[in-house]
Amino acid sequence: MKRNLKVLVSVVLILSIVFSIAGCSSKDVAGVKEEGRKIVDNLFECKYSKILKAFDKSSKNYDIERAVFDTFFIIWEEEISFMSDLDFEYKKEEVAIKDSKATINYLLEVEDEEYSFELNLNQDGSKWIIDDNKDFILNVFNLIFEISSEEGTKSCKTMIDLFMVRLDVSNVNKLAKPYYTYLEEEIIDSSRPAETVVESTDSTEPTETSGDITETIPSEDISVNGNNDEYLEFSMLICYPGTEIDYDNDIQNIITELTNTCVREEYLWGQTEEEAINSMLASGQLRDYVYSTSEMTTLYEAGVLIAWDEYIEKYPNIRELHSDEEWELLRQDDGHIYWTDAFNNTYGESQERNHNEGAFWIQARVLEWAGYPEIKTLDQYFNLLDSYYDANPVMPDGTPNIPYTMLCDDWRYFCIECPPLYLAGYPNDRPVIVNTTDYDKPTIVDYDTSDTAKAYFAKLNEQYNLGYINEDFASQSYDEYIDMLTTGAVLGMYDEYWDFGYTLQYAFSQDQIDLGCEYVPLGLTIDENTTNHYHVYQDSINILGGIGVTVNCINPDRAFSFINDLLSQEIHDLRFWGIEGVDYLIDENGLYYRTNEMQYEWEDYDYQSWHGCEYLYLPQWNGTSRDGINAMQSSEQRSIFIMNKSEAIKNIYEAYDAYGYAEMLNSDKLYEPGCWYPMYTYSNYMTTETPGGVAKQKIENLKHDYLPELVMTSDFESAWYEYINLYNECNPQDFIDEMQTELDYRIEHAN
């Protein structure tokens, strides 16, 4: 992904470097050409960080300009990756050199379309550097947006359209400057230093100082806990890309009034999670709170986190986040707990509607055509797809339908590899199964070579040879796969929702939606007697990541007190429902609801920036409100979840009495996974420093290369036999043994 992203950049920078001679010495021209070609080469080789070396570092705004450049290629990485596949050539290169300045004008032909690009360089000693960083970036933005509007994928064009609306731009050629300003403002806001809180000599009126300005802070004690007698402002590093809310945000101000506490959030810009954590540790500038998905162990080993133990017992809302067993899973080797999962916490009964993980997906039009049948098994699923395709080989506009496709590109080959796990009735402990037949001794089982896996691949092989799977599935890139889905022609596939769903939300036209091209998930098993666990309703906390409080925190007790306050019903409603009468209403039965206009505003990015404050990466509740009837999260309220759904989807929900993706799967709602779940929180971080990690890597390489061959072969039995032999050569038992050791550790640790 990043490789393609950077290529995109390459295209851009490519533009920035070729030239022709215009009134200058051959030596000067050669120097300009050489520097220019370095930039171009780095663009095409996806080394856009090296392009930054050509920036003018003496620019007074260098830090901001660099951050804008980096951030653009993070935000647009997926959307502009198509650039690497475009055919282009230089139609014209004109170089003009005067004194220490050089200008190169290009006419670039891309897929038979012509685009202009200008690059200005400045001589710096023996080198040529970019003359004006901002001007260069604007030219790059303009080129990318122009090319994308013509040659981009549907998701890319949709994203451009969204930003044109957001930035009130009517023409793509005018988008570069306001978009630069948009990124610049976000970066400046994110780097704004937190105000320093100073104890006042007047016990009734604490003050806040920033620079030479002293501001009086209201001293009225209106906190939820009643013990926050001093206004405090905490800092928080969130190791994830995002956007800070406005400084004078409506709901944040209300929460501040209730708690006398505010948190200023800082998101990643131009850094990886690991880089951000290491940078913070190296500088010693620890934030009060830190959220990280995978680097909390690094902070723990550095000794910069405060133990939660005494605060868990002191604050009841924090205490009830997890069961005793779950808290124990978070306990570290020194016997203390230093962080918790912000997200996977259910209060009362689950209200989950969405399903973000894996499933077999099917278009609404197929189910409607068949009269909404009950589909439980893999065979029933393919029989339905085949029957629909035989009766409807093309769409109304003549586009050929595609019964089934699969994604095998790079690490996303899980779309072909993972189903045997679910078909056998197990939850997502990928890449293994935890067998609990012997309740007292759960064991790791390898599903890759199981009978279910063989039956699954045999079925795919049969479907492929009958012509029901697109013949080039094995070679298509992720972008090509997404493009295929956005045509509306694909009737079904296995995938995880996050991998395709958010793109398709904006990619389908109204005609496609009316036709019934939207997807719903099915929880298939290998036979009707197997109970599926595609969707696990019980919490599965991330033991490697979450929210922690650092030793530099200005007031640890207040930091934990604030988390406790955020989990109170009053403030939780403010975070995820908004203000009563403004963002939601309450009917005569006590149910919260929104009008269409309220929901439209609540989903609007700008509205959330100045009005909404979810404190998204601080602990929150899913499930049922303390009133017993409403959802903790407004997105899970049934009336709101179905509010903007198409008629085709509403008809499906009514036909199956399942109001949401989760309910469509018919997974076992009472199933409680063991304390080890999910095992991928260990396997995902295995390295080749252990025999198990080496075996895992070999197995993954084999599956990535060989599984598509199992589908396409003309002799399945022979191919399967060869696959098993090659698989055994990877020493899979080393991997199984290491996973068993981790399983045993988690069980012992939880007890």
Side-chain angles (χ1 to χ4, degrees), residues 312-313 318-332 336-337 339-341 344-345 439 538-543 672-678 743 745-751:
I312 292 172
E313 299 307 320
I318 294 178
R319 179 65 183 83
E320 66 180 343
L321 275 173
H322 307 304
S323 66
D324 291 343
E325 292 78 11
E326 289 170 335
W327 279 118
E328 286 303 313
L329 286 174
L330 292 164
R331 196 172 298 281
Q332 301 305 304
H336 296 291
I337 297 167
W339 64 83
T340 189
D341 192 336
N344 298 301
N345 312 303
Y439 183 80
Q538 307 303 317
D539 297 336
S540 55
I541 62 174
N542 177 11
I543 63 174
E672 294 188 15
C675 60
W676 57 82
Y677 179 83
L743 174 63
Y745 172 81
R746 291 187 178 190
I747 293 173
E748 180 182 359
H749 205 57
N751 295 330

Side-chain angles (χ1 to χ4, degrees), residues 465-689:
N465 287 309
L466 289 173
Y468 290 116
I469 297 177
N470 65 301
E471 61 181 12
D472 59 348
F473 78 91
S475 61
Q476 65 185 355
S477 67
Y478 175 70
D479 285 338
E480 291 169 337
Y481 167 79
I482 291 297
D483 284 345
M484 180 178 289
L485 294 185
T486 59
T487 66
V490 178
L491 306 181
M493 74 286 180
Y494 174 92
D495 202 346
E496 299 196 5
Y497 181 81
W498 57 264
D499 195 39
F500 75 94
Y502 299 109
T503 299
L504 294 196
Q505 280 183 353
Y506 303 103
F508 279 153
S509 67
Q510 190 58 51
D511 287 342
Q512 289 172 311
I513 292 172
D514 292 342
L515 180 62
C517 293
E518 294 172 289
Y519 294 97
V520 293
L522 298 176
L524 307 180
T525 52
I526 203 66
D527 60 62
E528 291 198 35
N529 297 322
T530 300
T531 301
N532 88 71
H533 296 95
Y534 284 79
H535 192 87
V536 174
Y537 287 87
Q538 307 303 317
D539 297 336
S540 55
I541 62 174
N542 177 11
I543 63 174
L544 296 177
I547 174 73
V549 179
T550 75
V551 294
N552 277 21
C553 181
I554 55 177
N555 188 325
D557 186 70
R558 282 282 297 279
F560 286 100
S561 171
F562 185 63
I563 292 175
N564 191 71
D565 291 344
L566 291 181
L567 294 168
S568 67
Q569 195 63 59
E570 177 184 7
I571 295 182
H572 202 276
D573 281 354
L574 282 167
R575 293 168 68 190
F576 298 102
W577 279 96
I579 300 171
E580 181 185 349
V582 176
D583 301 304
Y584 70 98
L585 303 170
I586 305 177
D587 70 13
E588 64 276 9
N589 298 315
L591 281 172
Y592 295 2
Y593 70 97
R594 288 194 180 118
T595 64
N596 286 328
E597 183 179 359
M598 286 176 172
Q599 184 63 17
Y600 176 81
E601 285 196 324
W602 189 256
E603 294 175 350
D604 181 73
Y605 173 86
D606 290 331
Y607 184 78
Q608 283 296 320
S609 292
W610 62 263
H611 180 75
C613 176
E614 292 184 337
Y615 280 130
L616 186 58
Y617 291 90
L618 285 161
Q620 60 188 259
W621 289 116
N622 299 310
T624 307
S625 172
R626 288 176 171 83
D627 62 18
I629 58 175
N630 287 295
M632 282 285 194
Q633 306 265 347
S634 60
S635 60
E636 294 185 346
Q637 192 86 332
R638 174 170 165 175
S639 63
I640 291 175
F641 182 81
I642 67 173
M643 178 181 290
N644 296 320
K645 298 296 185 290
S646 66
E647 288 303 313
I649 296 298
K650 288 180 180 178
N651 290 339
I652 283 179
Y653 288 163
E654 183 176 356
Y656 291 99
D657 192 26
Y659 292 88
Y661 285 165
E663 291 184 342
M664 281 294 298
L665 291 164
N666 287 315
S667 296
D668 182 2
K669 286 189 175 183
L670 300 180
Y671 172 74
E672 294 188 15
C675 60
W676 57 82
Y677 179 83
M679 290 300 296
Y680 61 72
T681 57
Y682 179 81
S683 60
N684 281 357
Y685 298 94
M686 291 176 68
T687 70
T688 54
E689 295 180 359

Side-chain angles (χ1 to χ4, degrees), residues 205-274:
E205 212 166 331
T207 60
E208 175 185 40
T209 64
S210 179
D212 296 325
I213 301 174
T214 301
E215 180 182 350
T216 300
I217 304 299
S219 60
E220 182 183 1
D221 179 12
I222 48 177
S223 73
V224 172
N225 284 326
N227 63 351
N228 299 343
D229 55 1
E230 174 188 48
Y231 172 81
L232 288 181
E233 185 168 294
F234 292 110
S235 61
M236 180 175 181
L237 174 63
I238 298 169
C239 294
Y240 201 79
T243 303
E244 291 77 21
I245 60 177
D246 290 354
Y247 210 70
D248 190 28
N249 179 279
D250 289 346
I251 292 177
Q252 186 178 59
N253 287 342
I254 295 174
I255 295 174
T256 299
E257 290 175 2
L258 290 171
T259 63
N260 230 6
T261 309
C262 182
V263 174
R264 299 299 182 190
E265 299 166 315
E266 172 189 347
Y267 290 85
L268 287 191
W269 287 102
Q271 287 182 302
T272 66
E273 189 169 349
E274 182 180 9

